[in-house]
Amino acid sequence: MKLRKVTAASATVLALALSATACGSDSGKESGSGDGGDKITIGIKYDQPGLGLKTPDGFTGFDVDVATYVAKELGYAEDDIEFKETKSADRETALARGDVDFIAATYSITDERKQKVDFAGPYLLAHQDLLIRADDNVSKGDDLNGKKLCSVTGSTSAQNVKAKFAPDAQLQQVGTYSECLNGLQSGAVDALTTDDSILAGYASQEQYKGKFKLAGLKLSNENYGIGVKKGDKEMVDKINAALEKMVQDKSWDKAVKDNFGPANYKNEPAPKIGNIVK
Amino acid sequence: MFDFLEGYDLLGAFWVTVKLTIFSAIGSLVLGTVLAAMRVSPVPLMRTFGMVYVNVVRNIPLTVIIVFSSLGLADVFGMTLGAADDFEVKYFRLAVFGLAAYTAAFVCEAVRSGINTVPVGQAEAARAIGLSFTQVLSHVVLPQAFRSVVGPLTNVLIALTKNTTVAAAIGVAEAALVMKEMIENEAQLVLISAIFAFGFVVLTLPTGLILGWVGKRVAVKR
């Protein structure tokens, strides 16, 4: 008897919940109100402070600023932009399937990726670097082989350490850079290594201010580009024009200052479109 | 089509997977059997401990356990399992520790179900000839119990094989980690995933078939 009551009650709740969602789920699908009111979907990272971060009050970061500027140049108001998370492994698939119109998510231009997608840009030249404790020092030419380094599992930076810079170094690989910072604070590792732009973003966070700094080693060249579906030449040209304009009217410099502020980060001057530094 | 495989040590990666599986399987079999013995022992404190361990560990996601082994036990409390300065060994051992601790809960439940298949008369007869609880368990009950749980333990072992991929989260260079590297470099998501899925089928399918046959052979005919 009792069981039957519970079942009936939960069925009622379920039915209510379903009808409630049914009412609320067909919003946001209204067609454009004429003046270029279509939506544009842009792939970004959600978990990289300084580049692409989802916060309770919206999205912040350099990639987000660049994406917003480019979308504006393409004729989309800020309300018409829909940001979508594209994790590193999903980026090519998301473009090929048309889930997103373009991707600005720390997307380094490489020959392998060029076979799958087209790139506009580059819009930022980053280098692999080390983030160290503020009272520590590592200078150019120091041997990294005796160091304990930390990076994200499977990332290009982690592979570079193993294959190029310091094959004998102790390398801890974890899921997210935040986990590395934990070990860096406690002294379990000496340095966190990845692109300096990403490191600067982490070091600029409120809770880490003044604790870490960049070593400034320039271990590699990472040319961040904007990924576009393969063969969409028109889109690439439009985005390139937008990026050029962004550099000219100084919005680019402002975006760099806003996002990579206080971490001893010396950014490279804005790269020339189509000029990929190997 | 497959020329991008050059430069990756696929076999080496799967060998690490196999090593993780074997060490964790041995560890969890020992710990799980001890836990099962505790859960059927006459001492209330032991019974409670076994029950609490199983119910707590079984309900924590494996990723949380593995990441905690690395960030909590190693980084914060300095538990390095005798490999402080060799990260590769250290994280491998931590992964085995986490996997064994987690899988032990499932082994314990499988073994306990096996103990329940042994007729009560067996244990009573063993008590009657003056054997202690430990002797009853080790000479009479457990040998029969194990023979009836080869099937369930095979399931646990196959799950463990696939669970070793979680060790990539703390940087153990097993199959899943090399897969991540390849996807990062080669931009060939579907093909690479298929190759690794196939690799795991090659590992687990024979395991299932062989142990299924063994289980049939040794089962107690009642």
Side-chain angles (χ1 to χ4, degrees):
Chain A
M1 230 25 239
K2 211 175 192 172
L3 189 67
R4 200 176 293 170
K5 268 195 193 133
V6 172
T7 319
S10 52
T12 321
V13 170
L14 199 65
L16 277 173
L18 282 174
S19 60
T21 51
C23 291
S25 67
D26 49 9
S27 59
K29 279 275 183 277
E30 287 118 38
S31 52
S33 49
D35 50 353
D38 276 350
K39 296 250 183 242
I40 185 163
T41 316
I42 305 172
I44 55 167
K45 290 273 179 78
Y46 276 14
D47 56 353
Q48 303 213 310
L51 286 148
L53 185 70
K54 188 180 184 186
T55 66
D57 2 319
F59 299 97
T60 62
F62 182 73
D63 280 344
V64 176
D65 292 351
V66 169
T68 311
Y69 189 98
V70 167
K72 197 177 79 209
E73 288 300 305
L74 296 174
Y76 295 93
E78 250 180 75
D79 300 340
D80 296 330
I81 301 175
E82 210 174 314
F83 285 117
K84 233 181 141 151
E85 181 175 34
T86 43
K87 291 192 186 306
S88 291
D90 306 333
R91 289 179 300 206
E92 292 81 20
T93 323
L95 284 171
R97 290 182 6 164
D99 294 345
V100 291
D101 295 301
F102 66 80
I103 285 183
T106 64
Y107 207 177
S108 296
I109 303 173
T110 67
D111 291 343
E112 287 84 3
R113 288 171 183 163
K114 269 197 212 158
Q115 294 171 2
K116 299 269 168 191
V117 299
D118 281 344
F119 284 101
Y123 61 91
L124 183 71
L125 174 58
H127 306 286
Q128 185 169 349
D129 198 358
L130 302 183
L131 187 71
I132 48 183
R133 286 180 291 273
D135 56 357
D136 217 349
N137 264 316
V138 178
S139 47
K140 238 188 156 52
D142 274 6
D143 191 16
L144 301 179
N145 276 315
K147 299 256 176 237
K148 291 178 180 164
L149 306 174
C150 181
S151 194
V152 162
T153 303
S155 63
T156 309
S157 323
Q159 295 181 57
N160 281 345
V161 170
K162 281 193 278 190
K164 293 180 194 158
F165 315 134
D168 299 333
Q170 298 298 340
L171 177 68
Q172 180 185 12
Q173 297 189 67
V174 291
T176 62
Y177 293 111
S178 315
E179 291 170 35
C180 283
L181 290 173
N182 187 4
L184 187 56
Q185 266 179 300
S186 74
V189 291
D190 302 323
L192 148 57
T193 178
T194 183
D195 301 358
D196 50 11
S197 51
I198 297 174
L199 295 174
Y202 273 100
S204 308
Q205 277 182 293
E206 242 1 275
Q207 68 267 41
Y208 298 125
K209 274 204 175 121
K211 288 190 178 160
F212 306 122
K213 64 178 184 197
L214 289 162
L217 298 186
K218 298 196 178 176
L219 297 164
S220 74
N221 295 317
E222 305 291 338
N223 300 271
Y224 288 0
I226 291 188
V228 180
K229 191 173 185 162
K230 185 97 189 141
D232 195 348
K233 181 139 178 26
E234 195 189 340
M235 185 70 140
V236 172
D237 292 341
K238 275 189 196 162
I239 293 176
N240 278 337
L243 289 174
E244 270 171 347
K245 190 174 162 187
M246 186 173 181
V247 173
Q248 269 160 13
D249 70 12
K250 296 282 183 256
S251 313
W252 190 90
D253 294 302
K254 186 179 172 305
V256 169
K257 256 196 193 47
D258 289 351
N259 293 302
F260 304 131
N264 180 27
Y265 175 63
K266 300 177 184 58
N267 65 288
E268 297 275 351
K272 289 265 178 299
I273 296 298
N275 177 22
I276 295 164
V277 183
K278 284 279 185 210
Chain B
M1 175 155 167
F2 290 106
D3 49 359
F4 64 83
L5 287 175
E6 272 169 44
Y8 295 102
D9 188 5
L10 277 189
L11 285 178
F14 272 108
W15 176 233
V16 176
T17 296
V18 170
K19 277 196 294 192
L20 270 176
T21 308
I22 290 172
F23 286 128
S24 310
I26 294 168
S28 62
L29 199 61
V30 173
L31 185 57
T33 309
V34 171
L35 282 168
M38 280 173 130
R39 290 202 65 174
V40 297
S41 81
V43 184
L45 190 67
M46 278 188 163
R47 282 208 302 270
T48 313
F49 175 83
M51 194 184 76
V52 169
Y53 181 95
V54 167
N55 282 312
V56 169
V57 173
R58 193 170 55 175
N59 290 304
I60 301 176
L62 177 61
T63 314
V64 174
I65 291 178
I66 298 268
V67 169
F68 177 77
S69 309
S70 156
L71 297 182
L73 296 178
D75 287 3
V76 179
F77 300 119
M79 186 185 91
T80 51
L81 300 174
D85 290 332
D86 189 341
F87 277 19
E88 205 171 310
V89 176
K90 175 174 144 188
Y91 289 106
F92 180 87
R93 286 182 187 171
L94 285 166
V96 168
F97 173 83
L99 283 164
Y102 175 81
T103 312
F106 295 90
V107 171
C108 166
E109 292 305 274
V111 171
R112 205 164 60 95
S113 73
I115 290 173
N116 290 338
T117 64
V118 180
V120 181
Q122 297 266 349
E124 282 173 351
R127 289 284 296 160
I129 58 172
L131 298 181
S132 69
F133 170 75
T134 321
Q135 287 171 316
V136 173
L137 208 61
S138 58
H139 294 318
V140 180
V141 177
L142 277 183
Q144 295 184 67
F146 270 113
R147 287 169 60 176
S148 58
V149 292
V150 173
L153 282 180
T154 307
N155 286 343
V156 173
L157 180 65
I158 288 175
L160 170 65
T161 310
K162 293 182 292 185
N163 283 343
T164 55
T165 54
V166 175
I170 59 170
V172 179
E174 46 67 72
L177 189 137
V178 174
M179 178 171 128
K180 278 199 175 110
E181 289 185 350
M182 285 170 74
I183 290 172
E184 168 94 4
N185 299 346
E186 308 295 339
Q188 300 244 34
L189 183 72
V190 178
L191 189 59
I192 292 170
S193 306
I195 291 170
F196 278 90
F198 176 74
F200 274 96
V201 170
V202 167
L203 283 183
T204 52
L205 200 63
T207 311
L209 291 174
I210 292 167
L211 286 176
W213 175 79
V214 170
K216 275 206 192 67
R217 281 288 308 269
V218 299
V220 184
K221 307 278 186 291
R222 295 200 199 280

